[in-house]
């Protein structure tokens, strides 16, 4: 059974850091592109980062230089290291596994999702 479980969210002051984890089971992470998305209240789900099956990373412009995605194949886990957090980073963060191999930010092309983890950065 394919499952993704996020953890690591919380309340952090502006300028602080968090590390989100996404533990996968039922499949091998490095065979797939895996993305982090986030959704703030009243806003559409937004792609934050993608780590491709060959280990390359991609980021949306608003988090470049602040967020880093990584993968531990032995633990079958991907991470999102978030630094210099801002109030506008407040959202529920989800990891998701992509259908197919062509990189995409379209959430409709991701077929397995975790339950999400809340990140709150107060203003």
């Amino acid at each position: 059974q394919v499952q993704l479980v996020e953890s690591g969210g919380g309340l952090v002051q502006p300028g602080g850091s968090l590390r989100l984890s996404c533990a996968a089971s039922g499949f091998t992470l490095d065979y797939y592109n895996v993305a982090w998305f986030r959704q703030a209240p009243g806003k559409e789900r937004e792609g934050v980062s993608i780590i491709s099956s060959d280990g390359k990373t991609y980021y949306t412009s608003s988090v470049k230089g602040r967020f880093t995605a990584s993968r531990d194949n032995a633990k079958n886990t991907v991470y999102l290291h978030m630094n210099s957090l801002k109030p506008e980073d407040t959202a529920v963060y989800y990891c998701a596994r992509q259908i197919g191999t062509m990189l995409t930010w379209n959430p409709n092309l991701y077929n397995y999702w975790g339950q999400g983890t809340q990140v709150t950065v107060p203003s």
Side-chain angles (χ1 to χ4, degrees), residues 3 16 44 51 73 89:
Q3 194 171 14
E44 292 188 355
I51 185 162
N73 293 337
D89 295 317

Side-chain angles (χ1 to χ4, degrees), residues 7 28 35 44 86 101 104-105 112:
S7 60
T28 302
E44 292 188 355
K86 304 175 181 180
T101 58
T104 179
W105 292 105
Y112 287 100

Side-chain angles (χ1 to χ4, degrees), residues 9-35:
L11 174 68
V12 61
Q13 294 301 311
S17 299
L18 280 175
R19 187 186 76 166
L20 306 183
S21 301
C22 171
S25 58
F27 71 101
T28 302
L29 265 177
D30 59 352
Y31 290 176
Y32 295 87
N33 300 330
V34 175

Side-chain angles (χ1 to χ4, degrees), residues 92-116:
V92 178
Y93 284 71
Y94 302 88
C95 61
R97 192 187 88 173
Q98 188 187 327
I99 302 167
T101 58
M102 187 173 293
L103 285 171
T104 179
W105 292 105
N106 184 348
N108 294 318
L109 296 179
Y110 288 77
N111 60 342
Y112 287 100
W113 293 79
Q115 82 287 353

Side-chain angles (χ1 to χ4, degrees), residues 30-101:
D30 59 352
Y31 290 176
Y32 295 87
N33 300 330
V34 175
W36 287 95
F37 288 83
R38 65 186 179 186
Q39 190 163 21
K43 294 189 176 181
E44 292 188 355
R45 194 162 293 192
E46 172 191 28
V48 176
S49 74
I50 301 171
I51 185 162
S52 66
S53 57
D54 60 358
K56 294 178 181 176
T57 54
Y58 305 85
Y59 303 93
T60 192
S61 58
S62 62
V63 307
K64 278 182 183 176
R66 300 189 298 122
F67 290 12
T68 303
S70 64
R71 187 175 67 209
D72 185 331
N73 293 337
K75 295 183 178 180
N76 212 30
T77 299
V78 295
Y79 302 97
L80 186 66
H81 305 259
M82 307 186 296
N83 296 320
S84 302
L85 282 161
K86 304 175 181 180
E88 51 264 44
D89 295 317
T90 295
V92 178
Y93 284 71
Y94 302 88
C95 61
R97 192 187 88 173
Q98 188 187 327
I99 302 167
T101 58

